[in-house]
């Protein structure tokens, strides 16, 4: 009877191992197909992005458009606070330096 119970338990483990192996194989296959799908999507996006980066609407390069549209310097709150504190103490030099950075 003990031998039969041991054999029964071992067969249950064998069955569980087989099921686990099949589940793992399915998971790996699913992961591989997902990776391929993701790679295809990224490739498509990168192609469109590269085309957009090289496009020159209105005869201007995108870099030039970005330089015209975006500020050269954006003062951070901590910098403005330091300038304001210095100005309140009568030191206007930091304020003059900050103004020189602005267009």
């Amino acid at each position: 009877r003990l031998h039969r119970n041991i054999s029964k338990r071992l067969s249950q483990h064998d069955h569980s191992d087989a099921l686990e192996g099949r589940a793992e194989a399915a998971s790996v296959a699913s992961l591989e197909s997902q990776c391929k799908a993701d790679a295809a999507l990224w490739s498509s996006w990168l192609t469109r992005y590269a085309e957009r980066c090289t496009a020159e609407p209105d005869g201007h390069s995108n870099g030039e458009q970005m330089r015209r549209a975006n500020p050269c310097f954006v003062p951070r709150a901590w910098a403005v606070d330091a300038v304001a504190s210095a100005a309140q103490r009568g030191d206007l030099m930091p304020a003059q330096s900050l103004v020189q950075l602005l267009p």
Side-chain angles (χ1 to χ4, degrees), residues 16 24 31 36 56 58 63 67 77 88 96:
S16 295
E24 187 175 315
L31 181 59
K36 287 178 183 175
E56 296 187 14
D58 303 331
R67 281 189 291 281
Q88 288 175 343
Q96 291 170 347

Side-chain angles (χ1 to χ4, degrees), residues 1 18 26 31 34 38 56 79 82 95 98:
R1 178 174 160 136
L31 181 59
Q34 184 63 50
D38 288 348
E56 296 187 14
L98 181 64

Side-chain angles (χ1 to χ4, degrees), residues 1-85:
R1 178 174 160 136
L2 179 62
H3 188 276
R4 190 176 59 214
N5 284 342
I6 291 172
S7 293
K8 184 178 176 182
R9 289 287 187 177
L10 288 175
S11 69
Q12 289 172 343
H13 285 286
D14 289 342
H15 182 67
S16 295
D17 289 344
L19 287 175
E20 186 177 335
R22 282 188 284 199
E24 187 175 315
S27 176
V28 167
S30 176
L31 181 59
E32 287 174 357
S33 65
Q34 184 63 50
C35 286
K36 287 178 183 175
D38 288 348
L41 289 171
W42 272 110
S43 179
S44 173
W45 181 86
L46 284 172
T47 300
R48 291 191 317 271
Y49 182 72
E51 289 170 357
R52 186 172 181 193
C53 286
T54 59
E56 296 187 14
D58 303 331
H60 299 291
S61 71
N62 283 336
E64 185 178 334
Q65 285 180 318
M66 288 172 58
R67 281 189 291 281
R68 286 187 292 130
N70 294 308
C72 296
F73 174 74
V74 178
R76 303 290 184 222
W78 62 267
V80 174
D81 289 344
V83 166
S85 294

